[in-house]
Amino acid sequence: MRGMVLVAVSLVILAAAEHAEPEVSMVSLSSDDACQSMEPDGSCALNALQQRAKKTTTASASEPEAASTGEPTDEILLALGADPLKHYAQDCHTACKGGGWCPDFCGQGNACCGYKDPNSPPECKSVDFWPVLWGHTCVFPNAVPPASQDCVGRGDGKTMKLYHQTSAEIGALILANGFRAGFRGWCGGAIYFASTPESTFSKTSALESHKGFMIEANVSVGRVKTMKSTCDMSMTGSKLHEMGYDTITFNPVDGDEYVIYCSSQVISTKAVPLHR
């Protein structure tokens, strides 16, 4: 009898082991564990994803593999200028009045799409992760809404070679899809660049900062307005453009930064070696 009990207990233990969660290997990400930021509070100001139209994107041999196609984490979504999905796995067709971009119901940067719907708008065809495989639900596309009319023709004229340091994961998304403005920063929600590769290190020193991957961008800066060291956190693209400028430059003590509000001003991007 005792032997039978021992056998039974052994079988239960084996069964439990078979259904246990797989052990996760903790790999150090010390070189690319946070997001580029050029704001006073260290949160992400410069961030990714823009449509590929009129963009030349070149990756070096050291370019990382494309980002995971699994569900994007809240940290990554915020770093890419998008909200975490609202109304997760719920039907969105009625609230969004059909498929397509739906920031009010799904969150900024997100859309309402039907899984493999042949009539889906273009943004829905770039989705990697689907919460549900039926009906229409809120998803995060690897694209962004069309640029505002205010961005048409911005930056015509002078161009500069500028730099942005971020994580390998976000860097891969930027190289594949382009830059997109973040939510906040010294000069408000915009796209921030450093003037030299070296200065990106001090600008990614906050604990929340992504680092470990360098992007060189050819940017059409056009008419540049010089601002004080604290810039203006209430600044927007519309305000700047009404002043007759396309780009802001300011120096928050650790080197010049260049700030744009239209991703269409980024002419090309490429990964470059990370040397301090």
Side-chain angles (χ1 to χ4, degrees), residues 172-192:
L173 289 172
I174 293 174
L175 290 176
N177 302 287
F179 284 97
R180 175 161 80 177
F183 291 120
R184 54 193 175 271
W186 281 110
C187 306
I191 304 173
Y192 291 70

Side-chain angles (χ1 to χ4, degrees), residues 42-97:
S43 52
C44 229
L46 161 92
N47 301 310
L49 287 184
Q50 186 57 289
Q51 56 200 32
R52 302 184 185 188
K54 298 181 181 179
K55 246 182 233 302
T56 303
T57 302
T58 307
S60 73
S62 61
E63 176 188 345
E65 295 181 3
S68 169
T69 58
E71 177 184 2
T73 64
D74 287 357
E75 180 189 8
I76 294 298
L77 287 172
L78 290 171
L80 297 176
D83 290 331
L85 294 179
K86 295 182 179 178
H87 300 98
Y88 189 85
Q90 297 179 27
D91 181 81
C92 59
H93 194 270
T94 300
C96 296
K97 299 179 180 178

Side-chain angles (χ1 to χ4, degrees), residues 38-203:
M38 297 183 181
E39 310 96 323
D41 64 358
S43 52
C44 229
L46 161 92
N47 301 310
L49 287 184
Q50 186 57 289
Q51 56 200 32
R52 302 184 185 188
K54 298 181 181 179
K55 246 182 233 302
T56 303
T57 302
T58 307
S60 73
S62 61
E63 176 188 345
E65 295 181 3
S68 169
T69 58
E71 177 184 2
T73 64
D74 287 357
E75 180 189 8
I76 294 298
L77 287 172
L78 290 171
L80 297 176
D83 290 331
L85 294 179
K86 295 182 179 178
H87 300 98
Y88 189 85
Q90 297 179 27
D91 181 81
C92 59
H93 194 270
T94 300
C96 296
K97 299 179 180 178
W101 298 108
C102 189
D104 292 339
F105 187 79
C106 295
Q108 180 171 323
N110 302 321
C112 177
C113 300
Y115 181 67
K116 292 189 176 179
D117 179 358
N119 299 316
S120 291
E123 57 268 25
C124 293
K125 299 184 187 304
S126 69
V127 174
D128 290 328
F129 173 78
W130 298 82
V132 295
L133 304 184
W134 49 264
H136 281 68
T137 190
C138 294
V139 291
F140 172 65
N142 288 325
V144 295
S148 67
Q149 195 64 28
D150 191 43
C151 283
V152 176
R154 288 290 159 197
D156 289 345
K158 179 182 178 181
T159 62
M160 293 185 70
K161 192 174 292 183
L162 300 171
Y163 299 88
H164 168 50
Q165 187 177 165
T166 186
S167 71
E169 184 174 11
I170 294 173
L173 289 172
I174 293 174
L175 290 176
N177 302 287
F179 284 97
R180 175 161 80 177
F183 291 120
R184 54 193 175 271
W186 281 110
C187 306
I191 304 173
Y192 291 70
F193 293 97
S195 57
T196 67
E198 294 76 18
S199 62
T200 64
F201 287 91
S202 63
K203 297 175 186 299

Side-chain angles (χ1 to χ4, degrees), residues 224-228 245 247-250:
V224 181
K225 179 177 178 59
T226 301
M227 299 282 285
K228 59 185 179 181
Y245 296 94
T247 301
I248 286 174
T249 186
F250 75 111

